[in-house]
Amino acid sequence: MHIKVWNFKSGEVKSRWSVGSPFVKIQFHRGNGLLATISDDLVLRVYDVIAARLVRTFRGHNDRVTDLCFSEDGKWILSSAMDGTIRIWDVVSAKQLDAMHVAEPVTSLSLSPTMDMLATTHVGHIGIYLWGNRLLYSGILDYGSVVSGEKVVEVLLPMVSSADEHSNNNEDEECIKESTVQEIQKNSETSLEGELLGMCPQIMPDMVTLSLLPKAQWQSLVNLDIIKLIICYNSSKAYHRLK
């Protein structure tokens, strides 16, 4: 029914918050000192532990919340519930950034440190499902033009294997629908990338355009000289061993 913040050295209570309903889950982000809580009233509350006050309140879930997590930079909070929705909350603007609905409710979720992949588990499914963050791969800086905001978007679960796709006729129809949706998304992203390339022409023909590539493909280029030195050093050691 309440949360206490203790002083580790003195053993005294620094602050205390009472909600009026039992807490389901809490998640603390050490970088910004924010504590996200979910209680039985289905309200997501964010507390500033340093300032000892309530800073954000989010409402939207219609059933028991199963899990929540912070993004690495502490600007997003992701939550899932038994109503089948996954919601992304923007802490800075105090708004719902995006929401999607799946047929099988999410039991747990985790966002990668680079914020490019989301891992989820679902009721009645053995396995981990991976979702890509299209904001990082599309090169779009304006979230409002891509995300749905308060609107809940219906999505299908990623396919596990090719054998599951042809188990029955109903699943075949779902596969066709999903492939059609993926093809439409691929075409729209391709056209968007072409527009972005047209707006930002290549400075030099031999240079690499990094804005439209995933971060994992170009972040190591900063340390390219160090990587070359390590490779040369290891090659020379292997050569001397052979001699």
Side-chain angles (χ1 to χ4, degrees):
M1 300 286 287
H2 59 267
I3 294 179
K4 294 181 180 179
V5 180
W6 300 81
N7 188 309
F8 185 78
K9 293 183 178 180
S10 64
E12 298 178 353
V13 178
K14 295 179 57 178
S15 56
R16 173 177 175 174
W17 302 301
S18 181
V19 176
S21 59
F23 289 99
V24 176
K25 189 176 181 64
I26 63 175
Q27 185 73 32
F28 180 68
H29 190 274
R30 183 176 297 179
N32 55 18
L34 295 181
L35 178 69
T37 67
I38 283 288
S39 55
D40 281 346
D41 57 2
L42 308 180
V43 179
L44 195 157
R45 296 176 177 87
V46 182
Y47 296 91
D48 189 334
V49 175
I50 306 300
R53 63 189 181 92
L54 177 67
V55 293
R56 293 288 186 269
T57 301
F58 299 110
R59 292 179 173 86
H61 288 296
N62 300 319
D63 203 342
R64 180 175 62 86
V65 176
T66 56
D67 200 5
L68 75 153
C69 68
F70 274 99
S71 61
E72 184 69 17
D73 57 7
K75 295 181 180 180
W76 292 359
I77 299 177
L78 285 74
S79 61
S80 60
M82 291 301 294
D83 57 7
T85 61
I86 302 174
R87 298 177 186 267
I88 304 175
W89 314 93
D90 188 78
V91 179
V92 178
S93 63
K95 295 180 180 180
Q96 179 177 291
L97 187 63
D98 203 359
M100 61 181 185
H101 180 271
V102 292
E104 293 79 9
V106 177
T107 56
S108 63
L109 53 82
S110 179
L111 187 65
S112 64
T114 55
M115 298 172 58
D116 57 344
M117 299 296 293
L118 173 67
T120 61
T121 58
H122 299 260
V123 173
H125 290 263
I126 301 176
I128 300 175
Y129 293 82
L130 298 178
W131 309 79
N133 186 354
R134 58 177 177 173
L135 295 179
L136 297 182
Y137 294 94
S138 61
I140 299 175
L141 300 179
D142 183 14
Y143 292 168
S145 61
V146 180
V147 298
S148 60
E150 296 295 331
K151 181 181 178 182
V152 180
V153 180
E154 294 287 339
V155 295
L156 299 175
L157 289 178
M159 290 297 173
V160 178
S161 64
S162 59
D164 295 336
E165 299 178 8
H166 304 285
S167 58
N168 53 51
N169 293 332
N170 293 332
E171 291 184 358
D172 290 342
E173 293 177 0
E174 293 296 330
C175 293
I176 295 173
K177 291 180 181 178
E178 182 178 5
S179 62
T180 304
V181 172
Q182 291 178 351
E183 185 67 24
I184 294 174
Q185 292 178 350
K186 181 179 179 180
N187 294 335
S188 62
E189 291 176 359
T190 304
S191 62
L192 179 60
E193 290 178 1
E195 293 176 4
L196 291 174
L197 287 174
M199 294 171 59
C200 303
Q202 188 77 22
I203 299 176
M204 295 180 63
D206 297 333
M207 293 182 66
V208 179
T209 301
L210 304 179
S211 60
L212 299 179
L213 294 178
K215 184 178 179 180
Q217 294 188 14
W218 58 261
Q219 61 182 355
S220 60
L221 294 179
V222 179
N223 303 318
L224 189 59
D225 294 337
I226 299 176
I227 295 174
K228 289 181 178 180
L229 289 175
I230 294 174
I231 294 175
C232 292
Y233 177 74
N234 293 334
S235 299
S236 62
K237 288 180 64 178
Y239 174 74
H240 288 301
R241 290 197 193 98
L242 291 175
K243 290 181 65 177

